[in-house]
Amino acid sequence: MTQTSITHLVCDCDGVLLDSESIALRVLHQQLLPLLKHSAQAAALHQAIAARLGMFTELLLDELDIEFGLGLQAQHYAAINEAVGRACSAEVQAVPGIADALAQISLPKAVASNSGHARIEQGLRRCGLLPLFDGHIHSADDVGRPKPAPHVYLAAAAGLGVAPQHCIAIDDSVTGVHAAVAAGMRVLGFTGVAHDKPGMQRKLYEAGAEIVFDDMTAFPGLIAAVLAGNVG
């Protein structure tokens, strides 16, 4: 069966464009550690957060609250979101190699992320990447349904004026790959800033990624191969 031609690129933000997930992991762990009933659970909490990076923060906190009995209240959610956003805004760096890679990819581009719109724009502006997306920034906050629902990826395709089948997505999380696949997009998985690269590679393939890679210098060549029909 002939593959639909790919004409547009849709990128996740955290872990693909911005190396922010290590920051989020550190801050989330710091914020939640005092709420543990048993200090011996600290390592397990750290691992549980790492395994959920890429999820909508409120859903991540919901799951951790159930797993560890943290007793989270509305004020905790607000304070944690503020702390993560503040740290990411102050410290975030671009994923190594992403600026050069995107400069070599001529496809029109959009962002589809579970992060808040302001945080996405602030991070991209800080790292000099905002102009590459020409206003095509889409947040789960805008569509009301976070990944793994496909809505933010569908919104990105609609904003670009194309059917999702003409888009290829790049995402670093199982949640995000599921969302892009559900939207009808082809998907590349990226593990360059993952905490467990071999484990995440396996998970991204299982979620539906066609190719999983860990070095952004390979990104332009992979897109070229897709456009030439040599992948998939």
Side-chain angles (χ1 to χ4, degrees):
M1 185 174 64
T2 303
Q3 289 275 12
T4 303
S5 62
I6 297 300
T7 58
H8 292 72
L9 171 65
V10 184
C11 303
D12 177 45
C13 187
D14 298 300
V16 171
L17 303 175
L18 304 180
D19 188 4
S20 53
E21 296 204 336
S22 60
I23 301 169
L25 173 58
R26 186 193 77 235
V27 175
L28 286 165
H29 192 248
Q30 289 173 344
Q31 292 285 316
L32 295 174
L33 200 58
L35 302 177
L36 283 176
K37 292 182 173 60
H38 306 287
S39 59
Q41 294 179 298
L45 175 65
H46 190 274
Q47 183 58 39
I49 297 168
R52 290 172 170 83
L53 291 174
M55 290 180 64
F56 194 57
T57 303
E58 281 74 9
L59 297 179
L60 179 151
L61 292 173
D62 286 345
E63 290 192 4
L64 294 174
D65 191 22
I66 293 169
E67 183 172 346
F68 292 94
L70 300 171
L72 295 178
Q73 303 296 321
Q75 64 268 25
H76 293 117
Y77 283 81
I80 291 168
N81 266 310
E82 182 181 354
V84 171
R86 185 169 58 248
C88 287
S89 295
E91 302 174 32
V92 72
Q93 301 293 323
V95 165
I98 186 61
D100 288 341
L102 291 174
Q104 295 176 58
I105 298 170
S106 60
L107 300 179
K109 303 168 182 69
V111 175
S113 173
N114 268 352
S115 292
H117 209 283
R119 177 175 152 188
I120 298 167
E121 290 203 354
Q122 288 169 5
L124 293 178
R125 184 178 292 108
R126 172 183 167 85
C127 296
L129 299 176
L130 189 60
L132 298 175
F133 296 95
D134 193 27
H136 293 287
I137 309 293
H138 300 273
S139 163
D141 287 348
D142 301 329
V143 298
R145 291 283 301 278
K147 305 172 187 178
H151 295 58
V152 70
Y153 273 118
L154 292 172
L160 290 167
V162 296
Q165 291 76 16
H166 290 291
C167 299
I168 187 161
I170 175 171
D171 210 300
D172 70 311
S173 71
V174 171
T175 297
V177 171
H178 278 310
V181 170
M185 297 182 182
R186 297 173 67 180
V187 192
L188 302 179
F190 179 66
T191 61
V193 294
H195 297 278
D196 174 15
K197 290 185 182 182
M200 184 55 68
Q201 179 186 54
R202 175 183 54 80
K203 291 176 182 178
L204 295 183
Y205 273 124
E206 290 174 351
E210 292 184 34
I211 295 175
V212 180
F213 67 105
D214 66 359
D215 185 342
M216 277 299 174
T217 61
F219 190 22
L222 291 173
I223 293 295
V226 169
L227 297 180
N230 296 328
V231 176

